[in-house]
mmCIF file of all heavy atoms in Angstrom:
data_model
loop_
_atom_site.group_PDB
_atom_site.id
_atom_site.type_symbol
_atom_site.label_atom_id
_atom_site.label_comp_id
_atom_site.label_asym_id
_atom_site.label_seq_id
_atom_site.Cartn_x
_atom_site.Cartn_y
_atom_site.Cartn_z
ATOM 1 N N GLY I 1847 90.356 122.639 112.339
ATOM 2 C CA GLY I 1847 90.100 121.628 113.347
ATOM 3 C C GLY I 1847 89.133 122.122 114.396
ATOM 4 O O GLY I 1847 88.576 123.219 114.300
ATOM 5 N N ILE I 1848 88.943 121.292 115.410
ATOM 6 C CA ILE I 1848 88.096 121.616 116.554
ATOM 7 C C ILE I 1848 89.012 121.893 117.739
ATOM 8 O O ILE I 1848 89.842 121.058 118.106
ATOM 9 C CB ILE I 1848 87.122 120.474 116.883
ATOM 10 C CG1 ILE I 1848 86.257 120.134 115.665
ATOM 11 C CG2 ILE I 1848 86.261 120.849 118.088
ATOM 12 C CD1 ILE I 1848 85.379 121.287 115.188
ATOM 13 N N TYR I 1849 88.855 123.058 118.349
ATOM 14 C CA TYR I 1849 89.747 123.507 119.414
ATOM 15 C C TYR I 1849 88.955 123.684 120.715
ATOM 16 O O TYR I 1849 88.037 124.520 120.776
ATOM 17 C CB TYR I 1849 90.405 124.830 119.030
ATOM 18 C CG TYR I 1849 91.395 124.698 117.893
ATOM 19 C CD1 TYR I 1849 90.962 124.657 116.562
ATOM 20 C CD2 TYR I 1849 92.759 124.612 118.149
ATOM 21 C CE1 TYR I 1849 91.869 124.544 115.519
ATOM 22 C CE2 TYR I 1849 93.677 124.489 117.110
ATOM 23 C CZ TYR I 1849 93.227 124.458 115.802
ATOM 24 O OH TYR I 1849 94.134 124.332 114.772
ATOM 25 N N PRO I 1850 89.290 122.926 121.749
ATOM 26 C CA PRO I 1850 88.601 123.110 123.027
ATOM 27 C C PRO I 1850 89.008 124.416 123.715
ATOM 28 O O PRO I 1850 90.134 124.901 123.567
ATOM 29 C CB PRO I 1850 89.061 121.908 123.855
ATOM 30 C CG PRO I 1850 89.629 120.933 122.876
ATOM 31 C CD PRO I 1850 90.187 121.761 121.766
ATOM 32 N N ILE I 1851 88.062 124.959 124.468
ATOM 33 C CA ILE I 1851 88.317 126.050 125.409
ATOM 34 C C ILE I 1851 87.801 125.586 126.765
ATOM 35 O O ILE I 1851 86.885 124.760 126.850
ATOM 36 C CB ILE I 1851 87.626 127.361 124.978
ATOM 37 C CG1 ILE I 1851 86.117 127.136 124.810
ATOM 38 C CG2 ILE I 1851 88.239 127.910 123.700
ATOM 39 C CD1 ILE I 1851 85.329 128.409 124.519
ATOM 40 N N TYR I 1852 88.416 126.112 127.854
ATOM 41 C CA TYR I 1852 87.953 125.652 129.166
ATOM 42 C C TYR I 1852 88.341 126.641 130.258
ATOM 43 O O TYR I 1852 89.199 127.504 130.065
ATOM 44 C CB TYR I 1852 88.502 124.258 129.491
ATOM 45 C CG TYR I 1852 89.984 124.196 129.796
ATOM 46 C CD1 TYR I 1852 90.439 124.073 131.103
ATOM 47 C CD2 TYR I 1852 90.935 124.243 128.771
ATOM 48 C CE1 TYR I 1852 91.791 124.003 131.381
ATOM 49 C CE2 TYR I 1852 92.280 124.166 129.041
ATOM 50 C CZ TYR I 1852 92.715 124.051 130.351
ATOM 51 O OH TYR I 1852 94.062 123.982 130.630
ATOM 52 N N CYS I 1853 87.697 126.477 131.408
ATOM 53 C CA CYS I 1853 87.999 127.279 132.600
ATOM 54 C C CYS I 1853 89.163 126.635 133.334
ATOM 55 O O CYS I 1853 89.147 125.431 133.605
ATOM 56 C CB CYS I 1853 86.773 127.366 133.508
ATOM 57 S SG CYS I 1853 87.074 128.274 135.051
ATOM 58 N N THR I 1854 90.174 127.449 133.681
ATOM 59 C CA THR I 1854 91.375 126.924 134.334
ATOM 60 C C THR I 1854 91.344 127.064 135.845
ATOM 61 O O THR I 1854 92.230 126.536 136.522
ATOM 62 C CB THR I 1854 92.614 127.660 133.804
ATOM 63 O OG1 THR I 1854 92.432 129.073 133.997
ATOM 64 C CG2 THR I 1854 92.839 127.374 132.329
ATOM 65 N N ASP I 1855 90.379 127.773 136.401
ATOM 66 C CA ASP I 1855 90.327 128.002 137.839
ATOM 67 C C ASP I 1855 89.138 127.240 138.420
ATOM 68 O O ASP I 1855 87.993 127.474 138.038
ATOM 69 C CB ASP I 1855 90.185 129.503 138.136
ATOM 70 C CG ASP I 1855 90.361 129.812 139.607
ATOM 71 O OD1 ASP I 1855 89.496 129.426 140.409
ATOM 72 O OD2 ASP I 1855 91.379 130.436 139.965
ATOM 73 N N PHE I 1856 89.415 126.329 139.342
ATOM 74 C CA PHE I 1856 88.353 125.473 139.881
ATOM 75 C C PHE I 1856 87.321 126.341 140.586
ATOM 76 O O PHE I 1856 87.586 126.940 141.623
ATOM 77 C CB PHE I 1856 88.930 124.447 140.844
ATOM 78 C CG PHE I 1856 88.080 123.224 140.981
ATOM 79 C CD1 PHE I 1856 88.412 122.062 140.308
ATOM 80 C CD2 PHE I 1856 86.928 123.239 141.756
ATOM 81 C CE1 PHE I 1856 87.622 120.923 140.416
ATOM 82 C CE2 PHE I 1856 86.129 122.107 141.861
ATOM 83 C CZ PHE I 1856 86.480 120.948 141.197
ATOM 84 N N CYS I 1857 86.119 126.401 140.028
ATOM 85 C CA CYS I 1857 85.134 127.395 140.442
ATOM 86 C C CYS I 1857 83.875 126.803 141.058
ATOM 87 O O CYS I 1857 83.097 127.525 141.674
ATOM 88 C CB CYS I 1857 84.755 128.267 139.245
ATOM 89 S SG CYS I 1857 84.172 127.311 137.811
ATOM 90 N N SER I 1858 83.637 125.505 140.854
ATOM 91 C CA SER I 1858 82.420 124.894 141.388
ATOM 92 C C SER I 1858 82.539 123.383 141.255
ATOM 93 O O SER I 1858 83.506 122.865 140.678
ATOM 94 C CB SER I 1858 81.177 125.375 140.618
ATOM 95 O OG SER I 1858 81.148 124.786 139.326
ATOM 96 N N ALA I 1859 81.540 122.678 141.759
ATOM 97 C CA ALA I 1859 81.541 121.222 141.632
ATOM 98 C C ALA I 1859 81.477 120.789 140.172
ATOM 99 O O ALA I 1859 81.884 119.679 139.822
ATOM 100 C CB ALA I 1859 80.371 120.625 142.415
ATOM 101 N N LEU I 1860 80.979 121.654 139.309
ATOM 102 C CA LEU I 1860 80.872 121.340 137.890
ATOM 103 C C LEU I 1860 81.925 122.099 137.071
ATOM 104 O O LEU I 1860 81.726 122.385 135.887
ATOM 105 C CB LEU I 1860 79.463 121.682 137.392
ATOM 106 C CG LEU I 1860 78.340 120.868 138.043
ATOM 107 C CD1 LEU I 1860 76.981 121.355 137.550
ATOM 108 C CD2 LEU I 1860 78.504 119.379 137.769
ATOM 109 N N HIS I 1861 83.048 122.378 137.715
ATOM 110 C CA HIS I 1861 84.137 123.081 137.018
ATOM 111 C C HIS I 1861 84.584 122.321 135.773
ATOM 112 O O HIS I 1861 84.840 122.929 134.734
ATOM 113 C CB HIS I 1861 85.316 123.272 137.974
ATOM 114 C CG HIS I 1861 86.595 123.627 137.301
ATOM 115 N ND1 HIS I 1861 86.843 124.870 136.762
ATOM 116 C CD2 HIS I 1861 87.713 122.884 137.056
ATOM 117 C CE1 HIS I 1861 88.044 124.888 136.226
ATOM 118 N NE2 HIS I 1861 88.602 123.705 136.384
ATOM 119 N N GLN I 1862 84.703 121.002 135.871
ATOM 120 C CA GLN I 1862 85.160 120.222 134.718
ATOM 121 C C GLN I 1862 84.231 120.379 133.515
ATOM 122 O O GLN I 1862 84.658 120.245 132.373
ATOM 123 C CB GLN I 1862 85.258 118.737 135.083
ATOM 124 C CG GLN I 1862 86.414 118.386 136.015
ATOM 125 C CD GLN I 1862 87.758 118.564 135.349
ATOM 126 O OE1 GLN I 1862 88.425 119.567 135.543
ATOM 127 N NE2 GLN I 1862 88.155 117.597 134.546
ATOM 128 N N GLU I 1863 82.961 120.647 133.791
ATOM 129 C CA GLU I 1863 81.994 120.810 132.705
ATOM 130 C C GLU I 1863 82.040 122.196 132.060
ATOM 131 O O GLU I 1863 81.348 122.442 131.065
ATOM 132 C CB GLU I 1863 80.577 120.543 133.232
ATOM 133 C CG GLU I 1863 80.254 119.073 133.439
ATOM 134 C CD GLU I 1863 80.918 118.478 134.679
ATOM 135 O OE1 GLU I 1863 81.429 119.241 135.540
ATOM 136 O OE2 GLU I 1863 80.931 117.241 134.804
ATOM 137 N N MET I 1864 82.845 123.089 132.636
ATOM 138 C CA MET I 1864 82.896 124.457 132.117
ATOM 139 C C MET I 1864 83.893 124.499 130.958
ATOM 140 O O MET I 1864 85.077 124.797 131.129
ATOM 141 C CB MET I 1864 83.295 125.441 133.219
ATOM 142 C CG MET I 1864 83.085 126.900 132.825
ATOM 143 S SD MET I 1864 83.215 127.979 134.271
ATOM 144 C CE MET I 1864 83.074 129.583 133.505
ATOM 145 N N GLN I 1865 83.380 124.201 129.769
ATOM 146 C CA GLN I 1865 84.232 124.067 128.593
ATOM 147 C C GLN I 1865 83.432 124.440 127.348
ATOM 148 O O GLN I 1865 82.253 124.766 127.425
ATOM 149 C CB GLN I 1865 84.735 122.635 128.457
ATOM 150 C CG GLN I 1865 83.607 121.625 128.182
ATOM 151 C CD GLN I 1865 84.138 120.246 127.868
ATOM 152 O OE1 GLN I 1865 84.862 119.663 128.658
ATOM 153 N NE2 GLN I 1865 83.765 119.721 126.692
ATOM 154 N N GLY I 1866 84.100 124.390 126.191
ATOM 155 C CA GLY I 1866 83.433 124.653 124.925
ATOM 156 C C GLY I 1866 84.333 124.295 123.770
ATOM 157 O O GLY I 1866 85.442 123.760 123.952
ATOM 158 N N TYR I 1867 83.861 124.578 122.545
ATOM 159 C CA TYR I 1867 84.611 124.236 121.341
ATOM 160 C C TYR I 1867 84.579 125.399 120.352
ATOM 161 O O TYR I 1867 83.565 126.090 120.219
ATOM 162 C CB TYR I 1867 84.015 123.000 120.655
ATOM 163 C CG TYR I 1867 84.164 121.729 121.463
ATOM 164 C CD1 TYR I 1867 83.087 121.216 122.183
ATOM 165 C CD2 TYR I 1867 85.375 121.051 121.487
ATOM 166 C CE1 TYR I 1867 83.210 120.054 122.918
ATOM 167 C CE2 TYR I 1867 85.511 119.880 122.226
ATOM 168 C CZ TYR I 1867 84.432 119.383 122.940
ATOM 169 O OH TYR I 1867 84.572 118.230 123.673
ATOM 170 N N VAL I 1868 85.691 125.548 119.650
ATOM 171 C CA VAL I 1868 85.779 126.495 118.548
ATOM 172 C C VAL I 1868 86.128 125.699 117.293
ATOM 173 O O VAL I 1868 87.095 124.935 117.273
ATOM 174 C CB VAL I 1868 86.847 127.572 118.807
ATOM 175 C CG1 VAL I 1868 86.918 128.542 117.623
ATOM 176 C CG2 VAL I 1868 86.564 128.332 120.101
ATOM 177 N N ARG I 1869 85.310 125.871 116.256
ATOM 178 C CA ARG I 1869 85.562 125.217 114.970
ATOM 179 C C ARG I 1869 86.334 126.181 114.075
ATOM 180 O O ARG I 1869 85.900 127.310 113.839
ATOM 181 C CB ARG I 1869 84.250 124.822 114.308
ATOM 182 C CG ARG I 1869 84.411 124.187 112.924
ATOM 183 C CD ARG I 1869 83.049 123.948 112.291
ATOM 184 N NE ARG I 1869 83.164 123.476 110.914
ATOM 185 C CZ ARG I 1869 82.117 123.309 110.100
ATOM 186 N NH1 ARG I 1869 80.881 123.583 110.533
ATOM 187 N NH2 ARG I 1869 82.310 122.883 108.856
ATOM 188 N N VAL I 1870 87.493 125.700 113.589
ATOM 189 C CA VAL I 1870 88.324 126.500 112.689
ATOM 190 C C VAL I 1870 88.318 125.834 111.318
ATOM 191 O O VAL I 1870 88.587 124.631 111.197
ATOM 192 C CB VAL I 1870 89.762 126.628 113.228
ATOM 193 C CG1 VAL I 1870 90.628 127.404 112.234
ATOM 194 C CG2 VAL I 1870 89.759 127.316 114.590
ATOM 195 N N SER I 1871 88.018 126.603 110.284
ATOM 196 C CA SER I 1871 87.896 126.077 108.926
ATOM 197 C C SER I 1871 88.901 126.737 107.992
ATOM 198 O O SER I 1871 89.425 127.827 108.273
ATOM 199 C CB SER I 1871 86.474 126.327 108.392
ATOM 200 O OG SER I 1871 85.501 125.750 109.229
ATOM 201 N N ASP I 1872 89.161 126.069 106.889
ATOM 202 C CA ASP I 1872 89.938 126.675 105.818
ATOM 203 C C ASP I 1872 89.124 127.832 105.241
ATOM 204 O O ASP I 1872 87.894 127.737 105.110
ATOM 205 C CB ASP I 1872 90.231 125.636 104.737
ATOM 206 C CG ASP I 1872 91.177 126.167 103.684
ATOM 207 O OD1 ASP I 1872 90.719 126.884 102.770
ATOM 208 O OD2 ASP I 1872 92.372 125.858 103.787
#
Side-chain angles (χ1 to χ4, degrees):
I1848 303 298
Y1849 291 81
I1851 56 174
Y1852 71 103
C1853 177
T1854 55
D1855 190 291
F1856 204 101
C1857 55
S1858 72
L1860 297 176
H1861 164 73
Q1862 288 292 99
E1863 284 75 14
M1864 192 167 175
Q1865 65 172 57
Y1867 293 102
V1868 180
R1869 177 185 174 186
V1870 177
S1871 303
D1872 187 279

